[in-house]
Amino acid sequence: MIHEILRVGPLQCNCSIFGDEESREGLVVDPGDDVDQVLAVIRRHQLRIKVIVITHAHIDHIGGAQKLKQETGAPVYMNDNDAELKKMLGVQAAWLGVPEPQQVDIDVSIKDGDRVVMGAAELHVLHTPGHTQGSVSLWLPSEGKLVAGDTLFRDSVGRTDLPGGDARQILRSIHDKLLTLPPETVVIPGHGHNTTIGRERQFNPFLSL
Ligand SMILES: [Zn+2]
């Protein structure tokens, strides 16, 4: 499985590009910005992007989705509970002092238990609300990887002081849905360095029981 991680935009969101070597089918998670760089990776691997997944509707994760959708023709998947937040992209842009990106229509609403098929691989959708109400994490059991959006970070958890945030709920999501995954699972957070489920279970100061 091809997997490249690009840090996009001023907040350096981790954008994942996955590709199946056999079928050349690809999938992009969180194209927040710098779509030209994302497209360059897609071209270098000769991928046909089948799906664009948004982990949650914060501007740094969704900002480039419409441009990437136009360039690739791929449908955009997101959880419905972030629909209101998505309408607030102009407000979010003002907070950051950046131009408002194009609005993107969501083609498919994903929910807990859904599976997104890409080539020979399957991504399991885990609804992990708390950072936002529509936050999802994506588990790829065949790769031993978890794309965690802004729910779980190395040594930290997502902030819950923005609209839609809930501090108790994010801890419940992490304990119930993420820490129950195999400890060797590699976690790709929405920002910063990769970690593993086992490492966070042991050392994350926000998750001590
Ligand atoms: Zn966020």
Side-chain angles (χ1 to χ4, degrees):
M1 171 81 60
I2 296 159
H3 182 197
E4 295 218 16
I5 302 168
L6 292 183
R7 295 189 169 190
V8 298
L11 296 181
Q12 299 280 279
C13 166
N14 286 326
C15 169
S16 273
I17 300 145
F18 290 99
D20 181 77
E21 284 111 334
E22 288 286 311
S23 65
R24 309 316 289 187
E25 286 183 4
L27 178 147
V28 178
V29 185
D30 287 352
D33 202 347
D34 297 329
V35 172
D36 291 338
Q37 290 177 39
V38 175
L39 288 167
V41 172
I42 292 167
R43 268 187 231 108
R44 175 153 50 81
H45 291 292
Q46 298 175 313
L47 299 176
R48 281 173 288 110
I49 299 301
K50 305 298 266 190
V51 179
I52 299 164
V53 185
I54 306 300
T55 62
H56 66 291
H58 280 155
I59 187 169
D60 50 324
H61 296 256
I62 196 175
Q66 177 60 20
K67 184 172 175 189
L68 187 64
K69 180 178 177 171
Q70 281 168 350
E71 296 281 347
T72 61
V76 178
Y77 290 22
M78 191 186 84
N79 182 271
D80 253 356
N81 291 304
D82 268 5
E84 288 302 312
L85 201 54
K86 187 173 78 67
K87 289 183 194 157
M88 292 173 58
L89 276 187
V91 177
Q92 297 186 41
W95 287 341
L96 293 175
V98 299
E100 181 178 352
Q102 287 174 274
Q103 267 293 341
V104 61
D105 287 330
I106 302 304
D107 299 287
V108 176
S109 173
I110 44 172
K111 58 184 191 310
D112 197 65
D114 283 353
R115 297 193 178 185
V116 181
V117 177
M118 186 203 46
E122 251 187 357
L123 287 83
H124 296 224
V125 177
L126 310 173
H127 183 214
T128 48
H131 175 63
T132 68
Q133 289 307 300
S135 283
V136 298
S137 303
L138 303 164
W139 180 39
L140 291 86
S142 61
E143 300 295 304
K145 288 180 177 175
L146 176 81
V147 180
D150 284 357
T151 298
L152 178 63
F153 295 102
R154 183 176 172 122
D155 294 326
S156 190
V157 301
R159 60 188 288 187
T160 53
D161 58 329
L162 298 170
D166 184 320
R168 281 172 187 239
Q169 195 183 32
I170 197 171
L171 293 178
R172 204 180 317 130
S173 290
I174 292 169
H175 281 288
D176 293 353
K177 302 268 181 70
L178 303 187
L179 297 190
T180 49
L181 298 175
E184 63 276 14
T185 304
V186 173
V187 179
I188 298 102
H191 304 267
H193 295 288
N194 288 359
T195 181
T196 63
I197 289 293
R199 186 186 180 283
E200 295 316 302
R201 203 186 281 168
Q202 199 172 357
F203 298 117
N204 190 312
F206 295 90
L207 301 177
S208 44
L209 293 166

